[in-house]
Structures are given as structure tokens and as C-alpha cells.
Amino acid sequence: MGRDTNFAYSFLALSPDRRHAITAVWDFCRAVDDEVDEHDERPLAERRAGLQRWRDEVAACFEGGQPQTPQGQALQAVTRAFPVARLPFDQLIDGCAMDLEPIRFQSFCELRAYCYKVASTVGLICIEVFGYRNPGTRQYAEELGLALQLTNILRDIPSDLARGRLYLPLDELAAHGVTEADLRAGRLTPGVSALLERQALRAREQFARAEAALPPEDARRVVAARIMGAIYRNLLTRIAARDYDVFAGRVRVPKLHKAWLALTIWLRTMASSPAADGLRVAK
């Protein structure tokens, strides 16, 4: 899950009720993520217990209980107003639990399963709030979530390593002659550059798969997600323009450019896509 404001720009495209709901979803997901990422100094047992409390909040939301946190209470209102399912929330917490200890992935297949849990699940939750007609939009949400997470992984290599995490497939490091020590040292060797270029290419391919999966009749309904995708694709472009040197400082999309992308995607989608008929939610 991204930790910056990219998502806020996409939410501006939503109606007030949906914006309020999606903000509640996002606040809950961020709270789960923070339980792991913002409390590194706490003993492992305490952080596990913290995640269990969020599992209990999910259970309360979907089983008629009484959530104890502001995030849980706001989420329960969403579960009553929109057809969000419980499973993606449980899977999200499972994914965040994987980050409690140093994590490595032997192959992209293993990494993809992790990305699904921490990112695609959020997309699947969000589209229930956005509303959609065609079940194929679920594939779009899944693919886009993977693309966003792969972009985050590339951008955040230094900060993730500082937390003892490495989200690049180990078999690809070996194939490029790169060691974890090379990445920790921030050495942009030919092998490191080629490795990171491969990650960027995979992310771009993933964005293309997402767009190809989007049913045209739902393009307006998920315009917020399309704005999100445009901002992250621009982030990839900026990383490539730095020759994949993510070690020289965090790569960002300037706020004004985010706003321009949001407006551009919104206008383009409104002009080229069928009307959303009130954004009614698919059953």
C-alpha cells in the first residue's frame, strides 16, 4: 500500500457519499498497515496482537458487533451502505502480517501472491464503493492493484531495505548478478540497473493488462482508479528518467502534476465513456 497522497487526488472524482465511504475504507487499511510499519520498535508479540485487534474490528463490522476504534466504526457504516465483502479485509491483514518479520521472495510467483493480499484486495474493496456493472471490472481492480504495488516496491527499495525487507525476486537478483549488499550500498551497477529496469517493465506491463481488462461501460464508474493508475504510471516514467536510480532520493510526482493528471483523466473518461447511469452498484 502506498503511503503518500496519490490516492487523495483520485478520490476527488467521486461523489460526496462515495468519497466519504472510500476515505473510511482507506483510513482502515492505513491503520492496519501502520500497525506493522509505524511500530517497528514494539516487540513482535505486541504487533501481532495489534493486527489481531484489527481482525476483531473486521469481525465486528461484518458480524453485527460493535467496533471499538473510530476506523472500525466508520468502516461498519460502509459495510452497511455498500456491498463490500469481508474476505478482502481478512486477506489484507494476512498480507500485512507477512511484513512483521524480515521477508524474502524466491520468485515473482511468490511476490505476486503477496501483492495480491496487500494491494489487489484494496482494489476489490474500492470498486464496490465506486460501483460497477460488469463483473470483468473485478479483474481490472486486481490487475491495477498489482501494478500499483509493483511501482511502490521499485520506488521504495531503500526504505524497505532499512526495515529489513526486500521485495525483489531473489532468482532475478541472481540472474542479474546482483546481491542484497549491492542494493543496500545503493550501487547503480549495470546489473542493478538492468534488474530495476526489469521491475519497471513488469509494472508497465501490469498497467497495460489492467487497462485491457476494464470493461468500457464501467470506465466512468472507476475513474478514480484510472486517475490513480495515471499518477503511478507517471511515477514509473520519472524513475526511468533517473536511469532507475531510486537510491538518490525518493522519486515523487509533483502535486501540480498530480492535479493535472487527475483533471486530464477525468475529462478524457467523461468524453469517451458511456454514461454511468447514476453509478449503481453491481449485484
Side-chain angles (χ1 to χ4, degrees):
M1 293 170 59
R3 301 202 54 76
D4 53 32
T5 60
N6 292 335
F7 292 88
Y9 285 86
S10 66
F11 295 166
L12 293 175
L14 299 172
S15 62
D17 59 331
R18 293 176 192 273
R19 190 184 314 131
H20 181 76
I22 209 68
T23 299
V25 167
W26 186 243
D27 286 345
F28 187 90
C29 294
R30 282 289 298 268
V32 173
D33 195 44
D34 286 348
E35 194 68 51
V36 176
D37 282 354
E38 299 303 301
H39 300 290
D40 289 345
E41 75 289 350
R42 287 167 46 187
L44 180 60
E46 288 187 18
R47 288 186 288 155
R48 288 194 186 280
L51 283 183
Q52 182 57 51
R53 286 191 290 272
W54 291 115
R55 291 186 192 277
D56 294 342
E57 290 291 88
V58 171
C61 287
F62 287 92
E63 295 176 7
Q66 179 56 55
Q68 300 301 304
T69 65
Q71 296 94 335
Q73 291 161 10
L75 180 62
Q76 188 172 62
V78 176
T79 66
R80 291 170 174 170
F82 297 91
V84 294
R86 176 176 176 172
L87 179 60
F89 288 99
D90 289 334
Q91 291 174 320
L92 170 65
I93 297 174
D94 289 342
C96 289
M98 295 172 69
D99 284 324
L100 286 171
E101 299 184 79
I103 192 168
R104 300 293 182 273
F105 300 96
Q106 184 59 41
S107 66
F108 178 66
C109 183
E110 293 180 4
L111 176 62
R112 191 184 192 283
Y114 165 82
C115 291
Y116 177 90
K117 289 181 179 179
V118 299
S120 291
T121 53
V122 180
L124 291 169
I125 294 165
C126 288
I127 62 168
E128 299 296 346
V129 176
F130 296 158
Y132 63 96
R133 286 285 188 85
N134 191 319
T137 300
R138 292 179 58 81
Q139 183 183 351
Y140 167 76
E142 178 180 336
E143 303 285 5
L144 181 62
L146 292 171
L148 299 179
Q149 188 64 21
L150 291 174
T151 305
N152 281 335
I153 286 170
L154 178 59
R155 178 194 61 189
D156 295 341
I157 290 172
S159 58
D160 286 334
L161 283 170
R163 287 189 165 110
R165 303 172 190 166
L166 177 62
Y167 297 101
L168 305 183
L170 295 182
D171 59 357
E172 296 182 14
L173 265 74
H176 287 87
V178 174
T179 67
E180 187 170 329
D182 293 330
L183 297 174
R184 288 186 179 280
R187 291 192 292 264
L188 203 65
T189 65
V192 170
S193 294
L195 172 67
L196 301 190
E197 184 177 13
R198 174 69 188 94
Q199 309 313 306
L201 175 61
R202 175 180 284 135
R204 284 193 290 270
E205 291 172 344
Q206 191 62 52
F207 278 117
R209 277 194 287 272
E211 279 298 307
L214 178 60
E217 63 266 34
D218 280 337
R220 285 196 180 194
R221 296 179 176 86
V222 299
V223 65
R226 300 190 78 194
I227 290 170
M228 211 178 302
I231 291 173
Y232 273 77
R233 284 197 303 272
N234 187 263
L235 181 59
L236 274 177
T237 298
R238 292 172 184 273
I239 291 173
R242 281 177 38 169
D243 293 325
Y244 305 100
D245 187 0
V246 296
F247 308 103
R250 187 179 176 90
V251 184
R252 300 180 186 275
V253 179
K255 290 182 179 180
L256 283 177
H257 196 69
K258 290 178 186 179
W260 180 82
L261 285 170
L263 179 60
T264 299
I265 296 300
W266 185 83
L267 290 173
R268 186 182 301 162
T269 301
M270 294 303 107
S272 62
S273 303
D277 296 334
L279 297 178
R280 288 173 289 188
V281 177
K283 301 296 183 182

